[in-house]
Amino acid sequence: MFNIILFGPPGSGKGTQSEKLIDKYALIHLSTGNLLREEIVNQTRLGLEAKKYMDNGQLVPDSVVIGMIRSAILSNPDANGFLFDGFPRTVAQSEALDELLAENRSEINIMLALQVGEEELIGRLLNRGKTSGRSDDVKEEVIRSRIIEYENKTAPVAGHYEIVEKVVRIKGEGEVEDIFDSLCREIEARRIL
Ligand code: B4P
């Protein structure tokens, strides 16, 4: 198994690059943002609870997202590997992920961390908000709250994987294809074929 975390602030290109990476490497894409939005569309109890946090630019409680990831991993026993997109977003989530993978005699092989400046992030998300229908992309103050949540709670997750030398930082500004090529180079330098 080859497991990747695609890491970075909101709007850094995680969703965009994930689509390309899962195609190229036949990985299972686990995006907690997408899973939560599905719950919202289906108006489940979990979705209605999560929406309150998401609309305010806050992280959804750890117990909710860890439970979702646990069931997604268990329902894909024959996976080649997973691409985690938008997860883990807290140190508690990263510890839970390490344990879940260890139960399957697996681990995180690489964390690819996209680096993008704050004003560029805000511009991209406001732009997406014009057409995406995503309520968390419309108001600049909500986008700023998401970036603050990222700095306070999510950025420390990189430290957790830096200790085990799994983090590679990639410039996330510029052409989508150029960024994709940089990500692929790093994966191929480490992938056991
Ligand atoms: P996510 O769905 O993960 O949302 P995101 O971080 O905004 O998306 P992403 O980073 O993938 O977007 P992308 O850059 O690809 O999370 C949404 C919310 O769900 C969170 O705020 C939180 O409330 C909750 N949540 C999710 N996971 C959670 C967890 N684990 N724990 C707790 N809560 C959780 O795209 C942005 C825009 O940039 C697009 O329009 C794209 O076209 C554009 N773009 C991409 N690359 C570009 C480039 N190179 N140049 C120009 N534009 C580019």
Side-chain angles (χ1 to χ4, degrees):
M1 264 183 126
F2 192 84
N3 298 308
I4 301 172
I5 296 174
L6 193 55
F7 190 71
S12 55
K14 302 185 296 289
T16 306
Q17 297 294 338
S18 289
E19 294 301 329
K20 300 172 71 64
L21 291 169
I22 52 167
D23 256 17
K24 177 158 178 162
Y25 297 111
L27 299 168
I28 303 279
H29 184 199
L30 293 184
S31 156
T32 38
N34 289 350
L35 292 170
L36 290 166
R37 281 186 288 278
E38 263 171 44
E39 299 281 343
I40 293 174
V41 168
N42 294 329
Q43 300 201 332
T44 64
R45 217 172 71 189
L46 189 158
L48 295 174
E49 177 67 13
K51 188 172 184 338
K52 291 190 270 179
Y53 294 93
M54 292 167 78
D55 282 351
N56 287 316
Q58 291 166 343
L59 293 183
V60 173
D62 286 340
S63 55
V64 174
V65 281
I66 292 168
M68 283 191 332
I69 287 287
R70 178 179 290 116
S71 1
I73 291 178
L74 291 176
S75 55
N76 286 288
D78 300 324
N80 236 346
F82 294 99
L83 174 64
F84 297 96
D85 160 10
F87 181 89
R89 260 177 156 100
T90 62
V91 172
Q93 290 179 21
S94 58
E95 289 166 353
L97 176 61
D98 291 349
E99 279 171 29
L100 281 168
L101 291 175
E103 282 167 23
N104 291 336
R105 294 203 193 84
S106 187
E107 60 176 357
I108 290 299
N109 299 90
I110 187 169
M111 172 187 263
L112 295 161
L114 293 166
Q115 313 284 294
V116 177
E118 184 164 333
E119 293 314 308
E120 169 78 13
L121 295 174
I122 293 168
R124 285 184 188 182
L125 293 176
L126 284 173
N127 195 36
R128 182 171 68 182
K130 289 179 197 159
T131 53
S132 67
R134 274 181 59 170
S135 50
D136 58 345
D137 283 346
V138 180
K139 288 193 197 137
E140 187 168 329
E141 72 200 64
V142 172
I143 293 174
R144 288 201 186 269
S145 303
R146 288 163 63 192
I147 294 173
I148 292 168
E149 282 277 89
Y150 172 82
E151 280 161 5
N152 291 339
K153 298 182 185 164
T154 306
V157 173
H160 177 82
Y161 291 100
E162 244 152 18
I163 297 170
V164 284
E165 298 181 1
K166 297 282 167 72
V167 182
V168 179
R169 294 179 198 277
I170 304 276
K171 184 171 169 246
E173 294 187 32
E175 295 298 321
V176 169
E177 285 305 323
D178 294 339
I179 299 164
F180 179 61
D181 288 345
S182 307
L183 294 169
C184 294
R185 268 197 300 278
E186 295 299 338
I187 291 170
E188 275 154 37
R190 285 167 182 75
R191 197 161 64 128
I192 305 147
L193 291 166

